[in-house]
Amino acid sequence: MSSELPPESPLGDAPEADASKQAAPDAQPAVEHAPVATKTRKKSGRGRRILKGTGLVMAIPGVAALTGVGYVLTQMVTSKPDNSPEHEDSKDDYLDSIAGAAAEGSPNVLLVYYDDLGYEDLGFMGDTPIQTPNLDALAEDGVVMTNYHSPSAVCTPSRAAMLTGRLAPRAGVPEVLFPSSGAMNLMNLMSDAHGLTQAEITIPDVLQASGYDTGMIGKWHIGDKEGSLPNDFGFDSFLGSRYSNDMTPFQIYQDDEVLLETVDQTELDALYTDAAVDFIAEAGESEDPFFLYFAHNFPHEPLYAAAENEGRSDAGLYGDVVEGLDDGIGRIVDELEATDQLDNTIIIVTSDNGPWFQGDAGDHRGRKGMVYEGGQLVPFVVHWPDGVEGGQTIDTMTMGTDLMPTLLDWIDLPLPTDRALDGSSMAPLIAGESDVASEYYYYYAGSELMAVSDGQYKYHKRTPYLYTMSGDVFTIGAHVQGPWLFDLEADPSESYDIHDAQPEIAAELKAELERREAEDQENLRGWN
């Protein structure tokens, strides 16, 4: 028999009264306290139910906490990178096939990759109080691309995509990485975020195999474990940091050994520039071409300027830092000229993403971390007197994934065929033989595709729109917004949605976004 009592009538004692009326005429009358006992049992049952309910509610946080701890522990044990060993083998076959293939007289390559440098932080890109005469001189004699995008709005995915020619989800590094020795690494484990794996083919892998001397100076930040370090991906030498300059531990490595446990960041620019000048001087004595990846930690915050640069710029400490970087470029170019290497050296200068707290994103919506133009539209100049016609400004849309195909095109090396590349060679565009590089460009946040552009129009899918008000600590999810369509030529600040006015264009770009999403779902890494 169930111990549960029926719910109490809203009329209080009415049920008992009804029961007595229904009793047989010859039945003995109930004792006077019986109704009181029934009422007591009802109250006791309700109390038990309340206590049970309260206990269950109080237990929920504990169960959730235990579940969360269990999930974290499981992820710590089971979260592994996708090594794709079969593609490690095909990578080896490809690199073997191009061994020593760089022709005599192949150009040197100097790739300068600044950290969080804004679109209009350099003189040749716009009206800025920051003085950059050395970079401006390269731009005057080179090619400026005013519609060049970093392949991600944050640094780890941007670097992985640029070096591989594959957007970060395909390269397997879609999230910002934190030091594996720190507590923040739990965030990476929770999202299965790991460093670059040996299955990926990088620019230095290709150039080293083909006969280049290769070196890296500066910030790596795409893996800090064996198999994911600079010397594991085609660099003969490495001097620099494994992470951003705001992460702990921030140390300077010489190859895989710690060179500086404690870093005075006011001396960091001089350390890197001295090393670059020395590398170029040594390269001048070699018969082999060189590839130098100069990936400076600055102007990422925290900002540090050498004592002699403090107060030199009208743009404050940020300007002091950038003007110091420009001095370093002047020293590097002087060394190239002194060793008779300048004319046949491809110098590329750009940034990993848009500016963070300081820096000028130009007339563009958003900043670092956002897939609006301000987060990914960055400065770009290429200078190569022997190979490209100087004095050009090109407004066609391009992206960092185009660098690998472009360099291999210029050096006359084949692309790998066992994987999809997201970039296209910019060489025909720069030579005036084409009007476009790629048909579409994709904007990702982590592994999620957020927007697509055909160069003029940009389609953002429907997404939560987040904002904060001055003085607030927390971000507020205001509304789900979109889809949006922007005409980047007429509206570079992405201020006015023309989705309803241009339904056919919106439909075309939506279809392309959905096609790419389906492709990612079926074959995220893009293996052929």
Side-chain angles (χ1 to χ4, degrees), residues 165-187:
R166 288 153 53 86
L167 287 164
R170 276 187 172 161
V173 194
E175 307 289 346
V176 173
L177 296 178
F178 295 94
S180 59
S181 60
M184 292 292 287
N185 184 50
L186 285 175
M187 293 178 60

Side-chain angles (χ1 to χ4, degrees), residues 41 86 99 134 190 196 198 254 256 285 307 348 355 393 451 467:
R41 286 197 300 273
E86 67 276 19
N134 295 294
M190 293 304 97
L196 204 64
Q198 280 298 300
Q254 181 84 55
D256 60 355
E285 299 175 0
I348 295 171
T393 298
Y467 76 95

Side-chain angles (χ1 to χ4, degrees), residues 123-200:
F124 67 87
M125 291 298 296
D127 185 13
T128 173
I130 301 174
Q131 303 300 308
T132 56
N134 295 294
L135 287 161
D136 296 348
L138 289 178
E140 185 176 357
D141 295 332
V143 179
V144 176
M145 308 197 77
T146 61
N147 201 4
Y148 174 90
H149 294 68
S150 64
S152 174
V154 287
C155 61
T156 299
S158 172
R159 292 160 196 272
M162 182 275 293
L163 286 173
T164 63
R166 288 153 53 86
L167 287 164
R170 276 187 172 161
V173 194
E175 307 289 346
V176 173
L177 296 178
F178 295 94
S180 59
S181 60
M184 292 292 287
N185 184 50
L186 285 175
M187 293 178 60
N188 292 144
L189 293 176
M190 293 304 97
S191 58
D192 278 325
H194 300 276
L196 204 64
T197 69
Q198 280 298 300
E200 291 301 321

